[in-house]
Amino acid sequence: MRKIALLIEYDGTDFLGFQLQGQGRTVQGELERAIEEVTGTRSRVAGASRTDSGVHAEGQVVSFRTESRLPPETLLRALNFYLAEDVAVKAAREIDEDFDVRRRAVSREYAYTLAVGPGRTALHRRDAYWVAQSLDLKAMNGAAAELIGGKDISSFTLAGESGRSGRRRVYRAELERRHGDLIDFVIEASSFRKQQIRLMVGTLLEVGRGKRSVEDFAAIVAAAEPGLAGPAAPARGLCLRRVNYREPLFATGD
Amino acid sequence: MRKIALLIEYDGTDFLGFQLQGQGRTVQGELERAIEEVTGTRSRVAGASRTDSGVHAEGQVVSFRTESRLPPETLLRALNFYLAEDVAVKAAREIDEDFDVRRRAVSREYAYTLAVGPGRTALHRRDAYWVAQSLDLKAMNGAAAELIGGKDISSFTLAGESGRSGRRRVYRAELERRHGDLIDFVIEASSFRKQQIRLMVGTLLEVGRGKRSVEDFAAIVAAAEPGLAGPAAPARGLCLRRVNYREPLFATGD
C-alpha cells in the first residue's frame, strides 16, 4: 500500500464544495471517481482544507492510499485525462504512510479577489466579486492588520457555531492591488473555520465603504463573539492559493 | 449628436474576435446590438485595438455616436443589462466629436499569461496557456529586453504580411511571476500587428525551453523579416489590459 499526495486546482463554480455529500458534484467525488478509473479500486480522498460551494483552489493538497504501482507522473497524466476540465492535478508524489495532509499543514493561504469599478466584470465573473463603490483601501488595510498575530477570530464565524476555540495564528492579512481594478485580499493563517474569510471580507468592505471605522473593526475582533461580523462576501471571489508544510511537499513556482 | 467612449471588458473565449464579420459572434456585434436596444438606433462601434478570436480584454476602449440624451452612467447600466455575461461596460463618458479612440491611443498594454507546471490548469483554462516544461525565465527576460525601444518588429508578423512599416516603439516587455505557477508576459507598445504578441510569446517559449539562445532571439529581432518567429502561442493566454492616451480617458484603479 502506498500513499500519494496530489496538488489540485479547481474552478469551484460548478462544484458543491470540496467535501463529498449525499448528492451533487464535489471535488472529492470527482477525484475518487477518476482514481477508481485509473487504479481499478475505490480510494478515500482526504483534503488539507475544506473549501465551500463555489470556492476555488489553485493549491489544494489531497492524499489517498492505493495498491497501484503506477509512478506519480503516470498517475498525474492519467488522472488529468479522466478529470473534467474544471479540476486538475498539478503535481503528484508519494508520501509517508503516516503523513496526514490536513494535520501536518502549518498554514493555509487564501486570496479573495475584488473587481472594483462602476461597471461589472466579464473576464473575472467566475473568480472575482464586483464592487461598484470605490473603496478606502488604506482604511481596509488598517483594519486587516488587526487580524494579524495569535488571535481569537471567533467574531468571524456564523452566529451559533459550536464552542471550539477560535484561537488561530494569522501570519498575513492585507489588500494588494493586482492591476487595473483588481484587488486581492491575501490572508494566511494556521487554519480557518467555515465562511471565516468571507465574513472578514464582508466586514472589511463595510470599512472600505465608510460604514464602519477601523476602530469598530478592531472592537469586533477583540469581542471574539460569533455573529458580530458583517455579511459574508460571495464564494466566487475566494481561492485557496496554497497549503504550507514544514518542508514543501511540491516544487512549485514560488 | 454626441460621442460616447466606453471602457470594455470581455472573455474572448466565445467570440470570433473584436471586429464585426459576416457571420459569427463578435464583441463589436454584441455592443452594436446592445446600443440599439438601449438607444433605439443602430450605431457603428469603433475599437482602439482589434483583438483576434479568443483574445480577452480588461481595458478595450470603444466609441460610438448617438442622438440619445441618456447620461453616461445610465448608458453604462442599461448596456450591461442587455450585454451577455462575457462582455461588460466598465466605465462610460462623453468625448469630443473629433476624438478618435484608435488614432489618439499612444500605447496598448497586453499581458500573456502562462501556467507552468507538470499538470494542466483548471481555474485558468480560459485565460492562461499551460506549459508543462519548466522555463528559464532569466533567459526569456534577456530575450524580451531585445524588443524594447524603437524597433522594426516585423519578424513577429506572419510570413506574407503586407509591406507596411514594422517600426514600433516598445515601452515595456518583461516576464513577471504573479503567484504560484502563473507568469505574465507584459508588453506595452505604440501598436501591434496581427498575432504579433502571440508570435513573440511562441519564440520566447523556445528561449525558455533552451531551444533558442538569447543571441538567436536578438538575431531574429534584428533581421526584421516576417516569418522568422517561432509558432504563435494560443489566443487564450492573451489579454488587452489597457489602452493609454495622453490624458487618461477613464478614472481607473491604477
Side-chain angles (χ1 to χ4, degrees), chain A residues 9 11 58 80 83-90 118-125 177 179-181 241 253-254, chain B residues 9 11 58 80 83-85 87-90 118-126 177 179-181 241 253-254:
Chain A
E9 180 173 303
D11 175 344
E58 289 175 342
N80 277 336
L83 288 167
E85 62 169 8
D86 56 355
V87 51
V89 179
K90 296 179 86 179
R120 64 178 166 82
T121 179
L123 186 55
H124 301 285
R125 66 193 183 281
R177 268 193 199 288
H179 65 262
D181 60 1
R241 279 201 178 164
D254 49 6
Chain B
E9 180 172 304
D11 174 343
E58 288 175 342
N80 278 337
L83 288 167
E85 61 169 10
V87 51
V89 180
K90 295 177 87 179
R120 63 177 166 82
T121 178
L123 185 55
H124 301 285
R125 65 195 184 280
R126 294 165 80 96
R177 267 191 200 290
H179 64 261
D181 60 2
R241 279 201 179 164
D254 51 6

Side-chain angles (χ1 to χ4, degrees), chain A residues 3-6 18 35 43-48 61-65 95 99-102:
Chain A
K3 196 170 188 179
I4 304 290
L6 305 173
F18 178 81
I35 290 166
S43 299
R44 177 76 341 150
V45 162
V61 176
V62 307
S63 72
F64 65 97
R65 290 192 172 79
I95 52 174
F99 191 96
D100 183 316
V101 292
R102 187 173 67 78

Side-chain angles (χ1 to χ4, degrees), chain B residues 56-72:
Chain B
H56 318 292
E58 288 175 342
Q60 171 73 286
V61 175
V62 307
S63 72
F64 65 97
R65 288 191 173 81
T66 181
E67 306 214 14
S68 159
R69 292 274 120 219
L70 292 171

